[in-house]
Amino acid sequence: GESVGLHLPTLSVQEGDNSIINCAYSNSASDYFIWYKQESGKGPQFIIDIRSNMDKRQGQRVTVLLNKTVKHLSLQIAATQPGDSAVYFCAEGRFMDTGRRALTFGSGTRLQVQP
Amino acid sequence: GAVVSQHPSWVICKSGTSVKIECRSLDFQATTMFWYRQFPKQSLMLMATSNEGSKATYEQGVEKDKFLINHASLTLSTLTVTSAHPEDSSFYICSARPSGAGDLPFGPGTRLTVL
């Protein structure tokens, strides 16, 4: 079936470096993507989202890139800090009959920031 | 911002008993809420969509008679794990979306341990 997956399960970076977390999706009809951060024992925290009519969107220290040609999504974190250490999930949003979106999550990448 | 809460944060129960988990939207109304389950070191899997005033929609492979969902009001959805078994031990997370918002806030999760 359709799925959303990640290339790298674990990413280790030095504090201050930029981080890039990748995600591949298989549903070409997907039109909405979200990146979440999840710290241990907590619920996912929204980071940034992007719609399929865009190929780039920037937030505070984060940038999401969408390449629909190869069905690839990436999250870039600038000047990575120890507080960025967490598991990051990409998710695909799909509309339900109610008009609301449910999310299909990728397998997650653990980001470890070394001091 | 939109906040979703869950209660309890964690629960330990004996095998064969039932456990109820509450999901509340604190500062907005939600006609639709979503229930996810997350096993250790795995991604979030959508279990069901909770619809206020109507029956929940379950994902394939999720037993509706085992995971009872009640969406009695616009701010509360409950998930009852009936006749819980050790394999039901997991992290249960709900989410809801305020009307018109791009974010999809998640609750903090409920850790269920079945002995």
Side-chain angles (χ1 to χ4, degrees), chain A residues 32 34 36 38-47 49 51 87 89-90 94-108 110, chain B residues 29-32 34 36 38 41-46 49 51 57 59 91 93 95 97-109 111:
Chain A
Y32 180 61
I34 310 173
Y36 281 92
Q38 186 180 29
E39 298 176 324
S40 180
K42 298 182 179 180
Q45 177 186 357
F46 174 90
I47 299 174
D49 61 359
R51 297 185 183 277
V87 177
F89 293 97
C90 66
R94 60 184 173 90
F95 277 106
M96 311 293 285
D97 292 340
T98 57
R100 300 288 183 173
R101 275 199 174 92
L103 299 178
T104 300
F105 281 79
S107 56
R110 178 173 299 281
Chain B
Q29 294 182 334
T31 57
T32 303
F34 304 97
Y36 293 82
Q38 184 179 31
K41 299 184 180 180
Q42 294 189 23
S43 186
L44 284 74
M45 297 298 296
L46 179 65
T49 303
N51 304 301
T57 304
E59 295 298 298
F91 195 47
I93 310 171
S95 71
R97 172 183 264 168
S99 175
D103 191 1
L104 186 62
F106 281 79
R111 173 75 59 193

